[in-house]
Amino acid sequence: MKREFRELLRERGRTELPRVLLAAAECAPLSKTGGLADVVGTLPKALKKLGIDARVITPYHRCIKDKYASQVEHMFYFYTNLGWRHVYVGLERLELDGVVIYLVDNEDYFGDKIYRGGMPEGEQYSFFCRAVMDVIPNLGFEPDVIHCNDWHTAMLPMLGHTQYPGQIQDRAKYLLTIHNIAFQGKFGFDFVQDMLGVDAKYYTPEFMELNGCADFLKAGCVFSDRINTVSPSYASEIKMPYYAEGLEGILNARHDVLTGIINGIDKVTFNPKADPTLPARFDRGHLKGKAACKKSLQEQMGLEQRPDVPLFAMVTRMTEQKGFDLVACVLDDIMSREDMQFMLLGTGDERFEKFMAAAERRYPGRLCAYIGYSETLSHLVYAGSDFFLMPSRFEPCGLSQMIAMRYGSIPIVRETGGLRDTVTPYNRFTGEGNGFSFANFDAWEMRDTMRLALECYRNDEIMHGLIDRAMQADFGFDRSAEDYARHYIWML
Ligand code: ADP
Ligand code: GLC
């Protein structure tokens, strides 16, 4: 055990590292729609290296059942009450890379869609929270800390402290990690009362009421022992109304327990030196394989076979968060003036999907919009592109820019949240930096920054320096895991 941890534990009269149960809606590689899954999949492995027994509890989604059913071990089942409903809760257990993952089974709630949207999603995750609370005493693993992630699991601390007094669920400490404050789980109080039997005395602005709704994430902010978000910059931003989506009051009130811990990436899954999904592998200083990946990407996506043309890429959920308005505004301007290619891999809002599909028809051989989700293709896009565009309106952390850097694709980002904390803009006077950035959420600023990147692309020395520094940056999870470990110990 690290000496620092031993000393922190001694101050709390403890000798053993805390046991941690991470609760989340998705967990890579089992289920994934975005970065939350990556974090929940990677953090426990990194914590294990520090000697912390961290386990995960997540829904047994259909996509997991399809792939892992033969490896899963059935633990037990029972029925629980969800309002007037009497519902089945199965608990399955799976061990992946030495990490224990508990899977909550109920086929009515966890079918094809990880997120059903609207009230059905409220019901899915009310059920999940209730099931988590009810299985805890029977796990044979008493967690000291329950680590909740986003609104889907944010009701756990309130349920634990108000509905299970004196029991394990109440004795545990709760850490709430906010991965995205834009999603809060807002419902009518009647619905929440019906689902989870929440006492009406908690439906006040002091507890879970916000703008006439019962707000799961707010309840989490109120009842958790500590709150963190996924970058220091976002931790400051969410104290301001522009970013906080109405939660600035509670977050300012709890500023003493609110911190930012930057995410890391899984350096084994994302490793250009050994990535089995790529047609060729590469490393800092040995970039031949990267050129081969670019060729293969162009070939597969119907882009002109030109090694010399700069290739910009995006791999993303297509939502307002990710700055698609900016892309829509200046795409034609830049595509018509510059000799460049553009590759998008993404899925999301219909209007953005349609816009990109139409753009593909306007620029045949130069622009490819692959609307869909593909893990394998994403690796090739990171590896085969020269620049990675991420002009987010807000970005709690962002993993894509870190993955891109690891694969030598130079990020072009807006200076917000984790993008600001991970990308150092190129400085033409000192030659420092590992990417490009712009400050305002402004399409023309983004276009000018893309032009600066294009200028640099024509200078081999500058470009090689950028690639070298980007690939050198250490975005592993070990540092973040140490920070989480400290937080867990502080809460004991
Ligand atoms: P967010 O969680 O907000 O979507 P992050 O940058 O934190 O953003 O994480 C996104 C993760 O999801 C990355 O691992 C990225 O490669 C992956 N991803 C996003 N969209 C797609 C897609 N269409 N196909 C494959 N992977 C995707
Ligand atoms: C959210 C955020 C993203 C972050 C991810 C993992 O999806 O949008 O910025 O990297 O969670 O924490």
Side-chain angles (χ1 to χ4, degrees), residues 113-125 151-152 187:
K113 285 196 167 160
I114 296 180
Y115 304 113
R116 289 188 176 159
M119 306 258 282
E121 192 172 319
E123 185 166 339
Q124 271 182 303
Y125 288 96
W151 78 262
H152 306 97
F187 304 97

Side-chain angles (χ1 to χ4, degrees), residues 206-248:
E206 207 189 334
F207 294 107
M208 74 177 313
E209 190 271 343
L210 185 70
N211 301 328
C213 292
D215 188 308
F216 278 30
L217 194 62
K218 180 166 177 183
C221 293
V222 171
F223 284 92
S224 293
D225 296 274
R226 291 198 70 95
I227 308 164
N228 84 289
T229 179
V230 285
S231 68
S233 286
Y234 194 61
S236 314
E237 287 171 351
I238 55 171
K239 284 185 236 153
M240 297 182 252
Y242 179 81
Y243 291 99
E245 306 274 347
L247 292 182
E248 61 276 12

